[in-house]
Amino acid sequence: MKAREEKLKQIINWAKENPDIRTVLLTSSLVNPYAPVDDFSDLDVELVFEGMKPYESDKKWIECFGTPISMVEEDETFFDGKHAMKMVLYEDHVKVDFKLYEKSEFIKEVDGETLPEDWDVGYKVLIDKDDLTKELKPPTHQSIMIKKPTEQRFQQLINDFWWDTTYVAKCLKRDDIFYAKFMMEDVIRTDYLVPMLEWYIASEKEWNNITTNKHGRLFKKYLSPELWKQVEATFSGSSIEDNWNALFACADLVHEVGTFLAKKIGSPYPLEMENKVRKYLNEIKEKY
């Protein structure tokens, strides 16, 4: 994206001429070899200051790189005093997430025993006037790799999934679409389906350095067309019947993926519990 490249050049040139800025890093997807990049990918820029406070309180410097149309600010208290954030969307559609460090805090991060996750996924040093990054460890990318679950973690997830399907059923019977959607999307999809599909994909690759990026962005790439169709069936519209169909599609998906994973990690699958919960779900749908 040409506008993004030009924006980064502007930031680099401004930082070079600004004596308050000592180091500049580019992080996140643009320097992560495992992340998909397109025209909507953000610029994630870390600025290390000798005297950060004026830049944290004043927003005028943000306009050096274009006209903002929206901005979110988070001060040091939000990050336990380590850094501040200014996330800016510009009129040219480029979004820049500025992370602001005081030099002393940045040095503490560099000297830490392990890399912070933001750096472990990948970084590129753009400016370093004081050799602050000389001892910065190289990224391992391991923080984003899918790890094999313990048997306890797997069993807990399966148990919690079937437990929470009962809440969805009651909400649908009550015509309470807001709560039903919360349970399906915020809880079941995020807490259970996403990690389960991550484990499934990683298990097929023998748990060998595999990532599906944030919130399953690469699921479609790694899943078979047949399984992806099953995943799509778990998404629903606003009608109650549509949501019942999605709930049962979700149950079928968890059964298929869960039984596969149970064999892979050498753990029993709680089929008896599943059958009892399925009976309950059907009875709630049909009898009340």
Side-chain angles (χ1 to χ4, degrees), residues 144-195:
I144 58 173
M145 297 304 167
I146 302 167
K147 305 297 191 298
K148 184 178 181 179
T150 63
E151 181 176 354
Q152 181 182 8
R153 170 80 173 102
F154 172 74
Q155 290 290 337
Q156 187 70 56
L157 184 143
I158 296 292
N159 184 79
D160 291 351
F161 165 78
W162 287 108
W163 175 263
D164 282 341
T165 59
T166 66
Y167 285 94
V168 180
K170 288 190 290 186
C171 290
L172 293 178
K173 207 63 187 180
R174 291 166 174 161
D175 198 22
D176 187 353
I177 193 67
F178 267 90
Y179 197 3
K181 285 290 191 184
F182 165 74
M183 291 303 301
M184 276 293 293
E185 301 302 328
D186 280 31
V187 180
I188 288 177
R189 188 175 309 283
T190 303
D191 294 347
Y192 312 139
L193 282 191
V194 168

Side-chain angles (χ1 to χ4, degrees), residues 109-249:
E109 294 284 78
V110 171
D111 291 341
E113 290 187 12
T114 58
L115 281 179
E117 185 173 335
D118 285 355
W119 295 349
D120 191 56
V121 300
Y123 64 82
K124 181 179 180 181
V125 179
L126 302 177
I127 297 173
D128 191 355
K129 300 173 183 176
D130 304 324
D131 290 333
L132 299 182
T133 62
K134 187 177 180 180
E135 302 299 326
L136 190 55
K137 303 171 185 68
T140 68
H141 311 292
Q142 289 306 302
S143 60
I144 58 173
M145 297 304 167
I146 302 167
K147 305 297 191 298
K148 184 178 181 179
T150 63
E151 181 176 354
Q152 181 182 8
R153 170 80 173 102
F154 172 74
Q155 290 290 337
Q156 187 70 56
L157 184 143
I158 296 292
N159 184 79
D160 291 351
F161 165 78
W162 287 108
W163 175 263
D164 282 341
T165 59
T166 66
Y167 285 94
V168 180
K170 288 190 290 186
C171 290
L172 293 178
K173 207 63 187 180
R174 291 166 174 161
D175 198 22
D176 187 353
I177 193 67
F178 267 90
Y179 197 3
K181 285 290 191 184
F182 165 74
M183 291 303 301
M184 276 293 293
E185 301 302 328
D186 280 31
V187 180
I188 288 177
R189 188 175 309 283
T190 303
D191 294 347
Y192 312 139
L193 282 191
V194 168
M196 184 173 287
L197 289 169
E198 288 176 342
W199 296 339
Y200 174 85
I201 290 167
S203 72
E204 291 218 299
K205 302 293 183 180
E206 302 302 328
W207 313 98
N208 185 25
N209 278 3
I210 185 76
T211 177
T212 53
N213 207 255
K214 297 177 180 178
H215 308 297
R217 287 180 64 190
L218 298 180
F219 280 172
K220 191 173 183 179
K221 173 183 175 181
Y222 288 110
L223 295 174
S224 68
E226 295 77 20
L227 197 54
W228 179 249
K229 190 173 181 180
Q230 287 182 256
V231 172
E232 287 183 316
T234 68
F235 291 92
S236 61
S238 60
S239 76
I240 296 298
E241 186 61 29
D242 202 23
N243 281 270
W244 274 114
N245 292 336
L247 175 61
F248 288 122

Side-chain angles (χ1 to χ4, degrees), residues 74-84 105 108-109:
E74 294 169 342
D75 63 20
E76 286 181 287
T77 59
F78 192 85
F79 299 101
D80 296 325
K82 292 183 177 181
H83 57 78
E105 289 299 325
K108 290 179 185 177
E109 294 284 78

